[in-house]
Structure formats: C-alpha cells, structure tokens
Amino acid sequence: EVQLVESGGDLVQPGESLRLSCAASGFTFGLHWMSWVRQAPGKGLEWVANINQDGSETHYVDSVKGRFIISRDNAKNTLYLQMDSLRAEDTAVFYCSRLRSFDFWGRGTKVSVSA
Amino acid sequence: VVLTQSPLSLPVTLGQPASISCRSSQSLVYTDGNTYLNWFQQRPGQSPRRLIYKISNRDSGVPDRFSGSGSGTDFTLKISRVEAEDVGIYYCMQATHWPPITFGQGTRLEIK
C-alpha cells in the first residue's frame, strides 16, 4: 500500500526557516519524480516544487524560488522541503505526491507563519 | 497553462446529475500522445483524492457515477447521480506542460 506521510510543519515567525519531510512507502521511491503541493487556508491547490529521481533536476513555482529547496534521500525513501525566509503568505498545508500522476496524497503538514 | 473551471459553485439536488467544466488555455496533449488532465475531489477536512486520470480513467474505488471526458482544451467531470458523500471541492489539474503544474480554481459542490 502506497503511503506518504508529511511532517515538520510548525508555527514560525516571518523570516524563519522550516524543513518539511515526506516519508514514502509502498512503492519504489527512487523511480519517481516527486512534488510538493500546498493549500493556503480556504484556498485552492498550488504546486510548489518538483524533483527528479536522483535529485539532479528541480523546479519551483516563482513565489518560492530562492527561498525553498526541494531534495530527497532515496536511501531513506524521504522527500524534503527546506523553507527559508518564510512569509505570512506561505501559511498553508503542504502535501507531497508523485509527479505526474498525483495518485496518492498524505494528510499534509501545516505551516503557519505569523508574528 | 491556465485552467478555468466552471461553475465555481454547484448546488445540486440529491440524485440529480452534476457537471463541471475545465478549460485550458492551450492544448493538453503531450508529445507522447497522452493528455495529463486529472480530476480531484477534496471532501471537507480531508486531503485531495484523485478521481480521474488522463481525462477519463477512473481510479480504483471511485464509484462509476463519476466520469471524465473531453479532449484538447475542453474537459468535463460528470456525476450521474449526486450523493451526500459527493459534497466537497473538485479540482482539475494538468501535468502536460510543466513547470508549473497547474490546478483549476476549484468547484464547490453542495446539496440543495
């Protein structure tokens, strides 16, 4: 059974950093592109970042370029999102999923950025 | 690629059909011949759940009252007979032209 479990969300102040994790199981993690998607309170879904199988290629939505870094550890079956210089508008629930299918989603991890 | 859903709010009587449109600003046919247009359901308080992939393929466990159709730039999600458990927000998403992956604005389905 495919499982994706996000963690690492917290309440932080503007300008601070967080590192999110997504633990994957039930499939061969290293064979898949992976993505982060977020959902601000009461808003729709927004794609955040992608990473290829070996971590050599990444893509980001413009609003997080230069502040967020997506990475992965295939030996640990884990996807990461390092988020620096957080802003109030980054407040959201963050989900990880498999690109391009987006067939499975975890419960998400909540990030709140507020003074 | 911009995906435009309509309507954004959809009140439906139980047992009646429902239809959601998703229009793309450009063709979603990829060079491999596939069209990477998915539909998701998000029930209140839950994570998104994929219902339909590549226009019309229903995911395992999805009731057959859900169906997807369309081609090129125009796509539709239909529910043949709405049930109470169908309440939620429905999103289309394209993964043909990326980055970025893009989602529609969402359509809120409610029971009249």
Side-chain angles (χ1 to χ4, degrees):
Chain A
E1 179 193 4
V2 171
Q3 283 201 319
L4 298 165
V5 180
E6 302 92 344
S7 62
D10 204 349
L11 169 63
V12 297
Q13 295 191 346
E16 293 187 339
S17 298
L18 271 179
R19 188 197 199 198
L20 306 183
S21 299
C22 168
S25 61
F27 65 101
T28 308
F29 179 72
L31 294 182
H32 292 266
W33 280 77
M34 296 295 296
S35 293
W36 285 99
V37 173
R38 67 183 176 182
Q39 186 170 36
K43 302 296 184 182
L45 300 170
E46 180 186 39
W47 168 79
V48 174
N50 287 344
I51 188 168
N52 73 340
Q53 291 88 338
D54 65 4
S56 61
E57 184 175 346
T58 59
H59 303 277
Y60 301 91
V61 68
D62 284 349
S63 60
V64 309
K65 283 180 182 175
R67 299 189 300 122
F68 290 10
I69 297 175
I70 187 172
S71 63
R72 65 193 297 160
D73 185 333
N74 288 342
K76 294 182 178 179
N77 290 340
T78 303
L79 177 71
Y80 301 102
L81 188 66
Q82 176 66 41
M83 304 187 297
D84 298 327
S85 303
L86 282 162
R87 305 167 180 169
E89 54 266 34
D90 295 317
T91 293
V93 175
F94 284 73
Y95 300 97
C96 64
S97 192
R98 304 194 292 192
L99 179 78
R100 210 179 198 148
S101 58
F102 293 89
D103 48 356
F104 294 97
W105 297 63
R107 292 189 175 184
T109 187
K110 186 175 180 181
V111 173
S112 297
V113 185
S114 175
Chain B
V1 175
V2 177
L3 297 181
T4 303
Q5 288 184 228
S6 63
L8 299 184
S9 179
L10 184 56
V12 184
T13 301
L14 285 173
Q16 292 301 301
S19 180
I20 301 170
S21 169
C22 176
R23 290 188 171 175
S24 174
S25 59
Q26 60 183 275
S27 173
L28 297 183
V29 180
Y30 189 54
T31 53
D32 64 3
N34 288 307
T35 299
Y36 294 97
L37 186 285
N38 298 341
W39 288 96
F40 298 87
Q41 175 195 61
Q42 189 173 31
R43 290 171 171 153
Q46 294 188 12
S47 301
R49 167 199 183 196
R50 196 181 71 176
L51 298 176
I52 302 285
Y53 62 97
K54 289 192 278 185
I55 303 177
S56 59
N57 297 277
R58 204 166 37 245
D59 272 278
S60 175
V62 174
D64 61 7
R65 64 178 182 275
F66 289 91
S67 64
S69 63
S71 63
T73 60
D74 288 344
F75 306 93
T76 303
L77 176 69
K78 291 184 179 178
I79 309 173
S80 58
R81 294 173 307 279
V82 169
E83 298 188 6
E85 65 178 18
D86 300 336
V87 166
I89 303 176
Y90 292 80
Y91 297 93
C92 58
M93 183 215 77
Q94 70 83 23
T96 293
H97 305 292
W98 58 270
I101 303 289
T102 49
F103 292 86
Q105 317 97 299
T107 295
R108 184 179 300 271
L109 186 148
E110 62 180 37
I111 304 300
K112 263 190 211 174

